[in-house]
Amino acid sequence: MIIVTLSLGVLAGTYGIVFGVPEQITQIWGSAPTENAASARGQTSGSRGQGRATTVVLAPLEERTYRLVLRTVGSAVSLRRADVVTTETGEVVEAALHANTLIEKGDVILRLDDRTERLSLEIAQANRDLAQATVTRYEGLRNTGNSVITDVALSEAEVALRLAQANVGLAEVALESRTIVAPISGRLGLSDVDIGDRLSSGDIIVTIDESTTLLAEFEVPERSIGLLAEGKPVFVSTPTYVGRVFEGRIKAFDSRLDSVTRSATVQAEIDNSDGLLLSGMTFTTRMSEETDPLPVVTSTAITWDRAGAGIWVAQDGKASRVPVTIRYRDGDQVWIETDAPVGAQIVIEGAAKLRDGAQISTGQTGEGQGA
């Protein structure tokens, strides 16, 4: 019986703790406990209503420049490059196509069999001489008062002379086209054309690269388009010359982005007067630029909500949220655009616990965000 009584007492106590004492029993016990409980509840409610300040760490908002650095890979092409193409059909009788030979514009690099063209020129010259003799004879007779030579006859003789002269010119052009000369100064590439080969019109004989100046071609992503400007320095390196950096300058860049890669093609001129670099080499390019000073905060100061990124600014013991636009990141430093003034105290630790207008207390003040 004693055990049952104790068990009922324990159950009643537990019920009272969890669900409270029933009002009927409270009335039996008296009003004093009720008043004491109400007083206790009122004190608790009052203490909650007072609110507690959130402890945070503050630091002044600073401004610093950001150094934009772009590294990308490209390849080199000659500033001037020419594919030498034959315009005639014929057999090669002379060739000077030694690879890597430096040649000047106008140097003969190949001759085709030109016997037919030489004979055609002789025939055209003979017809011209005959026409010239006829015109000279007619003019002489007219000057002596001979009426046999009419104006019509003299005019026809002069037209025949002009046609003969034109035929001589055509024959000379045909003969010259059998001799192929260098269109530009530069260095000869490899060629498989040799004496005895028969070429057709349109065949590529050799490529000439004028490589005293090279063009480094590379792609710049959309996010780095702001780095591009004609004349801007570009630094390039190649695995062939480890540790050596060649300086160039942007010559041109595309007026639109590639729809697939979202990048623009850039060409930079590189001085190669010493001939160390070859067309087709792979380059690693680097460009850099310092921005105007921008506000910079630690990454822990940035918070996010549905509206985007923001920082908390402390003023008069309260925190207010100011939106920001993130521009650059470097480690735990973030460069931003914001309406918060430089020098304002911002929350760099404890920001995740804040609500707009929340009271804050300073547990520690940061001397600088860059520290």
Side-chain angles (χ1 to χ4, degrees):
M1 187 63 180
I2 297 175
I3 296 175
V4 173
T5 304
L6 290 175
S7 298
L8 290 174
V10 171
L11 290 173
T14 304
Y15 182 90
I17 293 172
V18 176
F19 300 103
V21 180
E23 185 177 354
Q24 295 82 352
I25 298 177
T26 305
Q27 291 175 355
I28 295 173
W29 286 350
S31 59
T34 303
E35 292 176 358
N36 292 338
S39 176
R41 285 197 299 269
Q43 292 175 2
T44 302
S45 176
S47 63
R48 289 178 180 176
Q50 293 174 0
R52 291 186 300 175
T54 302
T55 302
V56 297
V57 177
L58 301 178
L61 183 62
E62 301 175 349
E63 270 191 338
R64 289 207 302 269
T65 60
Y66 179 78
R67 189 169 189 82
L68 288 167
V69 179
L70 171 67
R71 290 181 174 85
T72 184
V73 177
S75 59
V77 296
S78 299
L79 179 61
R80 298 185 64 197
R81 179 178 182 271
D83 290 329
V84 183
V85 179
T86 178
T87 58
E88 303 293 329
T89 299
E91 181 183 343
V92 178
V93 296
E94 181 182 334
L97 300 172
H98 303 292
N100 288 308
T101 300
L102 290 173
I103 59 173
E104 298 295 328
K105 180 179 179 180
D107 289 352
V108 175
I109 59 176
L110 184 140
R111 292 185 191 275
L112 298 175
D113 184 9
D114 58 2
R115 289 174 296 176
T116 300
E117 286 69 26
R118 290 184 181 278
L119 291 174
S120 296
L121 177 59
E122 289 185 10
I123 293 172
Q125 289 172 338
N127 289 332
R128 179 200 59 192
D129 295 343
L130 181 60
Q132 180 65 62
T134 300
V135 171
T136 301
R137 186 172 69 255
Y138 283 3
E139 289 177 343
L141 292 174
R142 289 290 302 275
N143 291 336
T144 59
N146 192 325
S147 60
V148 175
I149 305 301
T150 62
D151 291 339
V152 174
L154 179 58
S155 177
E156 289 177 347
E158 290 173 342
V159 170
L161 174 60
R162 291 171 57 191
L163 290 174
Q165 291 172 336
N167 287 331
V168 170
L170 290 174
E172 289 174 345
V173 170
L175 180 60
E176 289 176 0
S177 65
R178 311 299 285 183
T179 300
I180 299 173
V181 299
I184 62 172
S185 299
R187 191 182 298 272
L188 289 175
L190 286 172
S191 175
D192 56 0
V193 176
D194 206 346
I195 296 175
D197 291 343
R198 186 169 184 81
L199 301 179
S200 300
S201 177
D203 288 346
I204 296 179
I205 301 170
V206 72
T207 298
I208 301 176
D209 287 299
E210 198 286 293
S211 55
T212 55
T213 301
L214 293 181
L215 283 180
E217 287 192 352
F218 53 95
E219 302 291 322
V220 172
E222 183 176 0
R223 67 178 181 275
S224 301
I225 293 300
L227 289 173
L228 300 182
E230 290 189 15
K232 187 179 184 63
V234 176
F235 302 94
V236 302
S237 56
T238 174
T240 307
Y241 302 103
V242 178
R244 181 165 181 177
V245 177
F246 300 87
E247 183 175 352
R249 294 190 176 274
I250 293 179
K251 175 181 173 62
F253 51 90
D254 207 345
S255 60
R256 63 178 61 188
L257 299 179
D258 186 276
S259 59
V260 177
T261 63
R262 310 306 303 168
S263 60
T265 302
V266 182
Q267 293 181 333
E269 283 189 3
I270 303 171
D271 180 37
N272 189 39
S273 54
D274 52 7
L276 293 177
L277 306 175
L278 299 179
S279 178
M281 276 185 167
T282 299
F283 284 142
T284 299
T285 63
R286 176 173 57 87
M287 289 190 298
S288 61
E289 182 180 82
E290 283 196 357
T291 67
D292 294 331
L294 289 171
V296 59
V297 299
T298 61
S299 58
T300 56
I302 304 290
T303 60
W304 296 84
D305 61 13
R306 293 181 178 180
I311 58 175
W312 291 92
V313 178
Q315 187 174 9
D316 299 331
K318 293 185 178 181
S320 59
R321 194 171 188 274
V322 179
V324 302
T325 300
I326 296 176
R327 293 292 304 276
Y328 311 107
R329 287 180 180 271
D330 185 9
D332 63 347
Q333 300 294 298
V334 183
W335 280 257
I336 60 175
E337 291 179 354
T338 180
D339 292 334
V342 175
Q345 294 292 317
I346 64 170
V347 178
I348 61 172
E349 291 185 22
K353 302 177 291 183
L354 297 177
R355 297 293 181 268
D356 208 22
Q359 294 184 355
I360 58 175
S361 64
T362 305
Q364 178 183 359
T365 301
E367 296 181 357
Q369 300 176 67

